[in-house]
Amino acid sequence: MTLTKIWGLKALSKPYDQACIDWAEQLLINGNSSDNVLILASLGLDKSPERSEVDKYFERALQDLRETEPEYFEAIKSYALELCHEALEGHLSQEETINSLAEIYSCTNYDYGIFSIWTDLLDKLYLLENEGEYYSHPELTKANKSVYVEKQLRHFIVLLNSKVPHDFVHLSICEECNKLVKVSWQPKTRISAFRKFLQIFKFLKPQYCTECLVCGSTHIVRLQTVEAREKALKMLQK
């Protein structure tokens, strides 16, 4: 057990009492036998240790070690990075990792859009495994699932270590104005004056499409693949 995991669980409002006790036990194994670490580890002998007692001796052990709690998003980011590395090193199953990363998105009230990558992947995997008729992702197959997930994990580490806006994956690349833009599903704006006249007087219904909100182009690429997101990262770094 690591402090990184404890900070992540705490930031996500998930139970972390046992994680604190496991952390203290690991410190003892590594040779740290301070009073507060010893007491914290001994709380594991109780069937139901008091939360207040765990918190008290955890805080005291942190003070002994001169450790401080990181800021909210930094705690989540470090936790997610640790999950990715554990999966890539084979210490955590891909399934468990995907579920944990996807859970972060909902636990943070959907504020950090980059974690929607994992909720989307869960949907894809569900359709793939159940051979859903709406499955339309030929790049992910049952044969290459493990390699595909590994690629996503490696790319996600790059994303987390890059300064991207929280809504990054909800943006799109406009191939016409060559920018990273917001898009909208709306009545087509690039139409002739004649068609606009017909629409105004209800002789013609508007055509709906997804448009770039900068230039009105429909030539857009959503950031749904690693390749698209890598291109978008390069655009942000210019």
Side-chain angles (χ1 to χ4, degrees):
M1 179 56 60
T2 64
L3 271 179
T4 296
K5 196 159 288 184
I6 294 172
W7 296 138
L9 293 173
K10 188 177 180 182
L12 297 171
S13 300
K14 297 172 70 67
Y16 62 93
D17 295 11
Q18 188 58 50
C20 293
I21 293 170
D22 292 344
W23 170 73
E25 289 176 352
Q26 189 62 51
L27 287 179
L28 285 177
I29 293 171
N30 293 338
N32 185 322
S33 56
S34 69
D35 289 346
N36 291 311
V37 169
L38 186 59
I39 295 171
L40 180 57
S42 69
L43 293 177
L45 299 174
D46 297 340
K47 290 184 178 180
S48 300
E50 291 289 334
R51 171 72 177 272
S52 59
E53 288 292 290
V54 173
D55 281 341
K56 179 170 70 174
Y57 288 103
F58 177 58
E59 290 296 330
R60 289 181 178 179
L62 290 175
Q63 290 173 11
D64 291 343
L65 295 168
R66 297 183 180 179
E67 293 282 357
T68 56
E69 185 172 355
E71 294 184 359
Y72 180 71
F73 183 68
E74 190 60 34
I76 292 170
K77 171 187 167 182
S78 298
Y79 174 57
L81 283 169
E82 184 164 304
L83 290 173
C84 291
H85 285 296
E86 284 185 345
L88 291 171
E89 292 165 7
H91 303 311
L92 196 63
S93 72
Q94 288 187 345
E95 181 179 3
E96 188 176 353
T97 305
I98 294 169
N99 284 322
S100 295
L101 290 170
E103 191 177 24
I104 291 175
Y105 190 39
S106 58
C107 285
T108 54
N109 297 313
Y110 309 100
D111 288 336
Y112 302 104
I114 57 174
F115 287 97
S116 66
I117 291 171
W118 301 103
T119 56
D120 290 346
L121 181 55
L122 274 181
D123 291 340
K124 291 179 185 177
L125 290 171
Y126 175 81
L127 291 173
L128 175 66
E129 295 299 330
N130 292 278
E131 300 180 347
E133 60 180 302
Y134 299 107
Y135 184 74
S136 58
H137 304 282
E139 73 280 3
L140 171 59
T141 66
K142 289 183 180 180
N144 78 346
K145 183 174 71 171
S146 179
V147 174
Y148 181 89
V149 172
E150 182 176 325
K151 181 179 179 181
Q152 297 292 325
L153 288 167
R154 293 187 185 282
H155 171 66
F156 197 63
I157 290 172
V158 174
L159 275 184
L160 287 172
N161 286 321
S162 303
K163 292 182 179 180
V164 297
H166 291 320
D167 64 346
F168 174 73
V169 295
H170 300 310
L171 301 176
S172 297
I173 297 171
C174 176
E175 295 183 315
E176 191 162 328
C177 62
N178 196 33
K179 293 179 180 178
L180 199 56
V181 298
K182 291 184 178 181
V183 298
S184 176
W185 173 256
Q186 61 188 23
K188 193 172 184 179
T189 56
R190 288 186 176 183
I191 57 176
S192 66
F194 180 62
R195 289 185 70 87
K196 188 175 292 186
F197 171 82
L198 292 177
Q199 288 180 11
I200 291 172
F201 290 97
K202 311 294 185 182
F203 293 119
L204 189 67
K205 290 183 179 181
Q207 291 180 311
Y208 280 78
C209 63
T210 302
E211 288 189 348
C212 167
L213 292 180
V214 175
C215 70
S217 172
T218 57
H219 298 142
I220 59 172
V221 178
R222 293 190 178 276
L223 307 188
Q224 295 177 332
T225 66
V226 168
E227 290 72 25
R229 292 193 291 269
E230 285 177 342
K231 182 176 179 180
L233 278 176
K234 290 178 181 178
M235 296 173 79
L236 284 175
Q237 293 164 0
K238 287 181 179 180

